[in-house]
Amino acid sequence: MDQTDAVPRQTPLVVALVPAAGRGLRMGGSVPKQFLALGGQPLILHSLRVLQASPVIGEVILAVPQSEMDYCLTEIVAKHRFTKVTKVVPGGHERQDSVRHALEATRDDVEVVLVHDAVRPFFTQRMVAEVVATAHAKGAAIIALPMKDTVKQVGADHIIERTVDRQSLWLAQTPQAFRRDWLLAAHRKAHAEGVRATDDAYLIEWYGHPVSVVEGSGENIKVTRPEDMIIGEAILAARKGSQKV
């Protein structure tokens, strides 16, 4: 469904693509994790609020389960006045498909797109601004976090084979920002050749473009398991207590 005519048209600085079509099997239950309550509100609301408030984001395109499109339009987008959400498109079987569907819905005049997982509710406007600025300058950038734990490579028999030097290892997060033409070409080629990836930066790397890293935050967790909701509630409570933006 297209909501483009519902908001003033403008050439956006950046279009944010929000894949939110996951089934959340690791969470258990029948409610997709992006709609579970965090702080008394659906998880996806926390991410959309940051994008709505960001001065560098011009539009937002949501990719959600086909069965949840009407709910998202009425109970998420319209009810909470997310005026930057111009389109809600059906997601795909996997995250990569959902991003591609949202990406294909962008206009040709868009130069940079930002991809952010709906289930990372604690990213900040600083992260958005820095990753977008780096993408404008260099073509591709992601938020990531340096590894702090000791990393072990383990064999099939559960025996440690070696300790990996963690100095050059980073944990990828979102948001991630890319030149639209780079990401679109990479997604189309990957779809044609059956290449699957767990994040969009991998596709850009695979396509042959360099990707820069912007340091993120340990609070920028991805909610995938029930215990993550407990951590999320604690982060939310701490932020409210300190009035952190």
Side-chain angles (χ1 to χ4, degrees):
M1 296 184 180
D2 191 330
Q3 290 285 95
T4 302
D5 294 335
V7 299
R9 293 298 297 268
Q10 62 178 346
T11 300
L13 296 174
V14 175
V15 173
L17 313 178
V18 181
R23 291 174 293 169
L25 298 179
R26 283 174 287 183
M27 291 294 291
S30 59
V31 179
K33 60 186 176 182
Q34 60 272 29
F35 302 124
L36 291 174
L38 179 68
Q41 295 185 318
L43 192 61
I44 192 173
L45 285 185
H46 300 276
S47 293
L48 290 178
R49 284 200 180 102
V50 176
L51 297 173
Q52 178 73 26
S54 172
V56 303
I57 298 297
E59 294 182 15
V60 178
I61 298 177
L62 284 178
V64 303
Q66 179 82 50
S67 61
E68 304 291 341
M69 289 180 65
D70 288 341
Y71 167 80
C72 285
L73 280 168
T74 58
E75 297 300 316
I76 301 294
V77 178
K79 182 177 181 178
H80 297 276
R81 299 181 181 179
F82 289 123
T83 56
K84 289 185 180 180
V85 178
T86 58
K87 296 179 182 179
V88 178
V89 301
H93 182 67
E94 296 181 10
R95 178 191 182 278
Q96 182 173 327
D97 303 310
S98 296
V99 174
R100 178 168 48 83
H101 291 179
L103 184 58
E104 293 283 1
T106 57
R107 302 197 307 270
D108 291 340
D109 61 345
V110 174
E111 293 185 2
V112 169
V113 293
L114 177 140
V115 182
H116 182 67
D117 293 322
V119 292
R120 284 191 187 271
F122 298 114
F123 72 120
T124 64
Q125 289 194 41
R126 176 198 65 80
M127 293 180 196
V128 173
E130 290 186 3
V131 79
V132 166
T134 305
H136 273 300
K138 298 185 178 181
I142 71 169
I143 296 295
L145 201 62
M147 286 285 293
K148 294 181 178 179
D149 296 328
T150 300
V151 182
K152 305 291 186 181
Q153 181 174 316
V154 179
D157 55 1
H158 288 190
I159 299 298
I160 294 172
E161 296 179 345
R162 69 185 183 104
T163 298
V164 181
D165 182 3
R166 70 185 181 194
Q167 185 172 355
S168 62
L169 298 180
W170 292 61
L171 298 171
Q173 301 179 340
T174 67
Q176 303 183 354
F178 313 95
R179 282 180 44 168
R180 175 187 178 272
D181 56 343
W182 284 11
L183 189 60
L184 188 59
H187 264 279
R188 287 175 173 173
K189 183 177 174 63
H191 181 61
E193 298 184 9
V195 173
R196 309 307 293 177
T198 55
D199 79 342
D200 298 279
Y202 174 83
L203 295 181
I204 294 293
E205 299 163 43
W206 168 75
Y207 199 72
H209 294 300
V211 180
S212 298
V213 168
V214 175
E215 186 164 350
S217 165
E219 289 188 352
N220 189 22
I221 64 170
K222 185 176 183 180
V223 176
T224 58
R225 298 181 183 277
E227 56 265 33
D228 296 328
M229 294 294 285
I230 298 172
I231 297 170
E233 292 287 358
I235 294 172
L236 197 60
R239 285 189 170 190
K240 286 181 179 179
S242 64
Q243 296 298 306
K244 183 175 181 179
V245 178

